[in-house]
Amino acid sequence: MSYELIVKPSDTARRMMLRRVPSSEKKRIETARWGAVLLLQGQVAELVAAVDDGVKRAPVEAVEILGNCPQHIQTVALIGGIAECRASLDGLKEGGRLK
């Protein structure tokens, strides 16, 4: 599974991500704290397990980022404060989910 941590995402990056969020989740995510975003990309089983671990380790919001085929999860975003996103990232590394 691959990842990217974006600290203090620009308005442009935030708008790009919000366009790819399911409409049922938009309101919840728009009001989230956007200090940082941890993007995770991988297989469905890996992503679901990583989201479960990530939200248990820190108070972050998780949301799917839709790709070309909305029936398949390929990328998820953990959104929150910088410290919270780093705590999720560190926890995922410690748990062996990320290298």
Side-chain angles (χ1 to χ4, degrees):
M1 184 167 37
S2 61
Y3 71 92
E4 291 290 337
L5 177 65
I6 302 171
V7 175
K8 298 180 185 174
S10 67
D11 288 341
T12 303
R14 183 177 168 178
R15 283 193 307 270
M16 284 178 66
M17 286 182 270
L18 285 170
R19 279 195 302 270
R20 310 300 300 168
V21 170
S23 58
S24 61
E25 298 289 321
K26 265 198 176 108
K27 186 175 279 189
R28 178 177 67 88
I29 295 305
E30 285 175 333
T31 60
R33 184 172 170 208
W34 284 75
V37 177
L38 176 58
L39 295 168
L40 304 170
Q41 190 171 40
Q43 301 295 319
V44 173
E46 294 174 317
L47 290 172
V48 171
V51 165
D52 186 60
D53 281 354
V55 300
K56 287 177 179 174
R57 294 179 182 273
V60 294
E61 296 288 336
V63 67
E64 297 172 45
I65 304 294
L66 301 175
N68 291 334
C69 183
Q71 288 82 14
H72 296 92
I73 302 172
Q74 294 180 346
T75 305
V76 294
L78 300 180
I79 302 167
I82 296 169
E84 290 82 4
C85 286
R86 284 196 170 133
S88 288
L89 176 58
D90 291 344
L92 291 168
K93 288 179 177 179
E94 288 170 12
R97 296 203 185 279
L98 298 174
K99 295 179 184 181

